[in-house]
Amino acid sequence: MSSDRVTIRQIAEMSEVSVSTVSNVLNGRTLRMSAETLERVRGVISTLRYRPSSIARGLVTGRTATIGLVVAEIETALFFSAVGALETAARDAGYNLIVCHARGSRDEAEVVTVLRTKGVDGIIFIANSEAVDNTHLSDLPAAGILAVVINRRRPGPEFGRVSWDDRAGVSGAVEHLHDLGHRRIAFLRGPRSRDSTRERAAGYRRGLKKAGLPYQEDYVRHADYTADPLTWERAAGELLDLDPAPTAVIASDDSVAAVVIRTAQRRGLSVPRDLAVVGIDDQMFAALLNPPLTTIRLPVKEAAERALKMLVDTIAGQSMRAVRLDTELVVRDSSSPEPPHHRQSAGCLPSGKVAGPSSPGRKET
Amino acid sequence: MSSDRVTIRQIAEMSEVSVSTVSNVLNGRTLRMSAETLERVRGVISTLRYRPSSIARGLVTGRTATIGLVVAEIETALFFSAVGALETAARDAGYNLIVCHARGSRDEAEVVTVLRTKGVDGIIFIANSEAVDNTHLSDLPAAGILAVVINRRRPGPEFGRVSWDDRAGVSGAVEHLHDLGHRRIAFLRGPRSRDSTRERAAGYRRGLKKAGLPYQEDYVRHADYTADPLTWERAAGELLDLDPAPTAVIASDDSVAAVVIRTAQRRGLSVPRDLAVVGIDDQMFAALLNPPLTTIRLPVKEAAERALKMLVDTIAGQSMRAVRLDTELVVRDSSSPEPPHHRQSAGCLPSGKVAGPSSPGRKET
DNA sequence: CTGAAAGCGCTAACAG
DNA sequence: CTGTTAGCGCTTTCAG
């Protein structure tokens, strides 16, 4: 097969220099080298299309310019933008990404082992905020493998961490709805096992308090976005059956929000006139719904970029940190004070106007 | 940092055997080895948690158990399911995936170079059917790097290829709509530069012909799903302005379909009563729209799995092939003969009933 | 059935 | 400023 691989030795011979000289030009240690030699070596390299084997290099340097990415729930649309952003950022920094999907602690431990044998320089974990066991990560720092976690509890101080402020996000959404005149604001909780669910619930309470609204048990329902959509529909229906029914709903994510909208519409209600709906995530389709969905945008891409930067900076000598990003409320028609067909046709894809100044993480677009 | 790496030599010493013996147990060449020795070596390996370095192994064997995945348009939701499926399939087969995003031929050439220096055993290209230049791939076979392309023209006979039948998919959708009683069926074309767009347009014509319907220029519009949603809205509006207006639209993809639905609804039309809408892709949100979207499901996941299998089989000695997969028409409410609120609450997430037997690629669910 | 030894392609001392 | 050399950790003949 690949019998004709060009090696550094051949380059050396053809350039009539030693391998170390070639190695030097390869690695930019070219400062005090005769310009003529440099030229000649470079010429041979390019005519032979020589590319040093990063395997061989990795064996001796112990570095591979490869980063492992361990993704929980790879099927989730939101995480894909993270993978994309990460890949771009990584390649800009001269790294490649080995992407692995881990479905649980056991799986993750296995994946980490493989990644270690492959000699990755660092690992980024992007999680679903599931409070997962971290013990299998404890020996990573000792093994000299840098790691940063996204949307997950920090396994230790040697780990980098990037997260976002779920609590402030939901709190801000409540305030937004309150500003619009809503007084009966319901909240759909996500999967029970996730930290994000707790944070968001806390944000809901905080938002109510800030707005001076009472917390009502009845207005909080469970709608696990990892479960069957029929269950979301049921939860939405129960909310709508209440008397008095809520005039606004913050859904557990954009998918659930889509079903809430549909459920309301099927009952003849108009969104947002009879019911305002706010999602969480800002997935691609949010702006395409009818009406376009107001949603709490999670800064997944930014998180990915920050995580990568943290890793690269740490390789360059800095130490790990924990950063928390702001979410951003993207206001579209599903929470506007007037029904969408009476308004300018606002809200298509990445547009989205912005709410009042009261809550954090809002930004002009 | 990683000073304390366990090596095969240490295992050999502690087991009081030679390194080659350890290597043998590592590689399963254990047939004619004293059971007692085997036991001892394995014991030492597991107590020391020894993992052979795949870098070192790769250097000598020339194989890395790593596959490159080159994705065009990594941001597209549809492709993510491919990445997920591929990762799972790869890991099951003992491989890892280096995922790269290539934005064009130049970028792709660069990515391929990097992948080669990293010693990948094969490369899978998953494309957007853009008729892209393939010349930079021509020396892959000679270099002993296996490659298979998904949704892209085959660069040569040494390349594997997996694709799907866009033409039959759209043709089947036309027939489905015809069966439902539609006689004025419009079609929204995707990006001009893609092969898939041409195939789909051909499928549209074929479907009309099969149904005995005339081809009408006016009913075909351009709605590039990579462009601004406002342009889709305009295209949809133009269709609806026609007299007589179409009673059904096949949209260029699910996102466009969502906007078509919205445009119709904003004009007070009911989907599907006044207008039936069919998408292409079957993205996650298709089932969440109101009404749930009938769509031509592209077998992206299956394609990914087939591609991986082809690669692995070829490594094992088989030769590359070209396979074409069927699409599947997933019938939901947006094309049902009656309005959704008069029907059983069908159509939530992966459900979707199935049309008549006339067209290819339909399957019972 | 096991051990010694020769590299895989490269980098990094260390001499010249 | 350039050349020689010793490995990185593993596999794989080839002798014992």
Side-chain angles (χ1 to χ4, degrees):
Chain A
M1 297 282 243
S2 53
S3 45
D4 48 354
R5 201 191 203 304
V6 184
T7 74
I8 195 174
R9 172 157 293 129
Q10 296 175 41
I11 303 295
E13 282 170 8
M14 300 208 55
S15 319
E16 297 178 311
V17 295
S18 72
V19 291
S20 59
T21 302
V22 179
S23 175
N24 283 337
V25 349
L26 251 29
N27 294 284
R29 283 182 294 270
T30 181
L31 302 172
R32 19 187 204 177
M33 194 154 62
S34 91
E36 191 255 344
T37 313
L38 178 59
E39 207 58 28
R40 187 152 33 91
V41 175
R42 285 210 173 124
V44 175
I45 286 177
S46 78
T47 59
L48 262 59
R49 301 177 165 286
Y50 165 69
R51 300 285 162 205
S53 151
S54 48
I55 310 269
R57 176 177 288 175
L59 185 56
V60 34
T61 62
R63 313 246 285 88
T64 53
T66 304
I67 288 173
L69 174 62
V70 179
V71 187
E73 246 191 289
I74 203 166
E75 318 289 346
T76 302
L78 190 61
F79 283 14
F80 295 139
S81 52
V83 177
L86 227 25
E87 197 277 337
T88 303
R91 204 129 57 75
D92 286 348
Y95 289 85
N96 288 108
L97 238 43
I98 296 185
V99 177
C100 296
H101 179 192
R103 297 154 193 79
S105 285
R106 269 183 56 89
D107 207 22
E108 189 173 88
E110 202 179 301
V111 159
V112 168
T113 303
V114 175
L115 252 19
R116 290 178 61 165
T117 74
K118 299 245 170 168
V120 296
D121 298 333
I123 306 182
I124 293 175
F125 295 86
I126 176 157
N128 48 25
S129 89
E130 203 74 54
V132 76
D133 182 31
N134 276 336
T135 51
H136 58 291
L137 303 184
S138 56
D139 52 343
L140 243 30
I145 299 183
L146 305 174
V148 7
V149 299
I150 299 176
N151 196 26
R152 171 171 178 166
R153 291 186 195 169
R154 199 177 191 186
E158 318 86 345
F159 289 77
R161 178 180 193 226
V162 184
S163 54
W164 48 79
D165 198 340
D166 280 298
R167 189 183 304 211
V170 174
S171 171
V174 172
E175 291 176 76
H176 161 68
L177 291 167
H178 179 254
D179 291 347
L180 253 31
H182 292 277
R183 295 297 175 264
R184 297 195 302 278
I185 302 169
F187 177 61
L188 290 172
R189 291 172 58 104
R192 298 179 197 282
S193 52
R194 299 200 182 175
D195 287 342
S196 58
T197 298
R198 273 182 288 282
E199 287 295 312
R200 289 169 187 180
Y204 172 67
R205 281 172 179 273
R206 187 166 82 188
L208 289 180
K209 180 170 292 179
K210 279 195 183 179
L213 296 174
Y215 176 85
Q216 286 183 258
E217 200 74 61
D218 258 0
Y219 285 171
V220 178
R221 304 270 161 169
H222 191 73
D224 179 346
Y225 45 74
T226 66
D228 190 303
L230 287 172
T231 64
W232 319 339
E233 205 164 322
R234 193 176 322 130
E238 288 169 6
L239 244 24
L240 264 19
D241 284 339
L242 291 175
D243 187 16
T247 64
V249 177
I250 298 173
S252 23
D253 83 350
D254 288 346
S255 298
V256 174
V259 169
V260 171
I261 290 176
R262 182 168 74 193
T263 305
Q265 289 171 339
R266 281 181 174 164
R267 294 181 173 217
L269 301 178
S270 161
V271 177
R273 201 184 339 141
D274 304 318
L275 184 74
V277 179
V278 175
I280 301 179
D281 279 356
D282 196 21
Q283 296 192 38
M284 285 296 303
F285 65 84
L288 306 176
L289 295 176
N290 186 22
L293 182 68
T294 293
T295 187
I296 302 167
R297 195 178 77 82
L298 304 184
V300 178
K301 264 180 98 154
E302 293 81 345
E305 280 154 8
R306 293 296 289 272
L308 189 97
K309 183 164 165 24
M310 209 180 276
L311 213 52
V312 172
D313 288 351
T314 308
I315 291 173
Q318 302 208 5
S319 64
M320 287 293 187
R321 296 179 308 130
V323 311
R324 177 179 290 264
L325 271 26
D326 281 336
T327 62
E328 174 191 348
L329 187 67
V330 180
V331 178
R332 299 197 183 92
D333 293 349
S334 73
S335 72
S336 99
E338 307 160 77
H341 37 272
H342 294 163
R343 308 173 66 233
Q344 286 276 46
S345 140
C348 254
L349 248 183
S351 83
K353 292 160 296 51
V354 158
S358 58
S359 75
R362 292 171 183 180
K363 138 191 144 194
E364 287 296 334
T365 47
Chain B
M1 297 278 248
S2 51
S3 48
D4 49 354
R5 203 191 201 305
V6 183
T7 75
I8 197 175
R9 172 157 294 129
Q10 295 175 40
I11 303 296
E13 283 170 6
M14 300 209 53
S15 317
E16 296 178 312
V17 295
S18 73
V19 292
S20 61
T21 302
V22 178
S23 175
N24 283 337
V25 348
L26 249 29
N27 294 283
R29 283 183 294 269
T30 180
L31 301 172
R32 17 185 206 178
M33 195 154 60
S34 88
E36 191 255 345
T37 310
L38 178 58
E39 205 60 25
R40 187 151 33 92
V41 175
R42 286 210 172 123
V44 175
I45 286 177
S46 78
T47 59
L48 262 58
R49 302 177 165 287
Y50 167 69
R51 300 284 161 205
S53 150
S54 48
I55 310 269
R57 174 178 292 176
L59 184 58
V60 32
T61 61
R63 314 244 284 89
T64 54
T66 304
I67 289 173
L69 173 62
V70 179
V71 187
E73 243 193 295
I74 202 166
E75 317 289 345
T76 303
L78 189 61
F79 283 14
F80 295 139
S81 53
V83 177
L86 227 24
E87 197 277 336
T88 304
R91 205 128 56 75
D92 286 349
Y95 289 85
N96 287 107
L97 237 45
I98 295 186
V99 178
C100 295
H101 180 194
R103 297 153 195 81
S105 285
R106 269 182 56 86
D107 205 24
E108 189 172 89
E110 201 179 301
V111 159
V112 168
T113 303
V114 175
L115 252 18
R116 289 177 61 164
T117 74
K118 299 243 170 168
V120 295
D121 298 334
I123 305 184
I124 294 175
F125 295 86
I126 176 157
N128 48 25
S129 89
E130 203 75 52
V132 76
D133 182 31
N134 276 335
T135 51
H136 58 290
L137 303 185
S138 56
D139 52 342
L140 244 29
I145 298 184
L146 306 173
V148 7
V149 300
I150 299 177
N151 195 27
R152 171 173 179 165
R153 292 187 196 168
R154 200 178 190 183
E158 317 87 343
F159 289 76
R161 178 180 194 230
V162 185
S163 54
W164 47 81
D165 198 340
D166 280 298
R167 189 182 304 212
V170 174
S171 171
V174 172
E175 291 177 77
H176 161 69
L177 291 166
H178 179 255
D179 290 348
L180 253 30
H182 292 278
R183 295 297 176 264
R184 300 195 300 277
I185 301 169
F187 176 61
L188 291 172
R189 290 172 59 104
R192 299 179 196 282
S193 53
R194 299 202 182 175
D195 286 342
S196 58
T197 298
R198 275 182 287 282
E199 287 295 311
R200 290 170 188 179
Y204 171 66
R205 282 171 180 275
R206 187 165 83 189
L208 289 180
K209 179 170 291 178
K210 278 196 184 178
L213 296 174
Y215 176 86
Q216 287 182 257
E217 201 73 60
D218 258 359
Y219 285 172
V220 178
R221 304 270 161 169
H222 190 73
D224 179 347
Y225 45 76
T226 66
D228 190 303
L230 288 171
T231 64
W232 319 339
E233 205 163 322
R234 194 176 320 130
E238 289 169 6
L239 244 25
L240 263 19
D241 283 339
L242 293 174
D243 187 17
T247 64
V249 177
I250 298 173
S252 22
D253 83 348
D254 288 345
S255 298
V256 175
V259 169
V260 171
I261 290 178
R262 183 168 71 192
T263 305
Q265 288 171 340
R266 281 180 174 166
R267 294 180 173 219
L269 300 177
S270 160
V271 177
R273 200 181 340 138
D274 305 317
L275 184 75
V277 179
V278 174
I280 302 179
D281 278 356
D282 196 21
Q283 297 193 38
M284 285 296 304
F285 66 83
L288 306 177
L289 294 176
N290 186 24
L293 182 68
T294 292
T295 188
I296 302 168
R297 196 179 76 81
L298 305 183
V300 178
K301 263 180 97 155
E302 293 80 345
E305 280 155 7
R306 293 296 290 270
L308 189 97
K309 183 165 165 28
M310 209 180 276
L311 213 53
V312 172
D313 287 351
T314 309
I315 291 172
Q318 302 208 2
S319 64
M320 287 294 187
R321 296 177 309 130
V323 312
R324 177 179 290 263
L325 272 22
D326 281 336
T327 63
E328 175 192 347
L329 186 67
V330 181
V331 178
R332 300 199 183 92
D333 294 349
S334 73
S335 73
S336 103
E338 307 160 75
H341 37 272
H342 294 162
R343 308 173 66 235
Q344 284 277 44
S345 138
C348 255
L349 247 180
S351 83
K353 292 158 296 59
V354 159
S358 57
S359 73
R362 293 173 182 178
K363 135 191 146 198
E364 289 294 337
T365 46

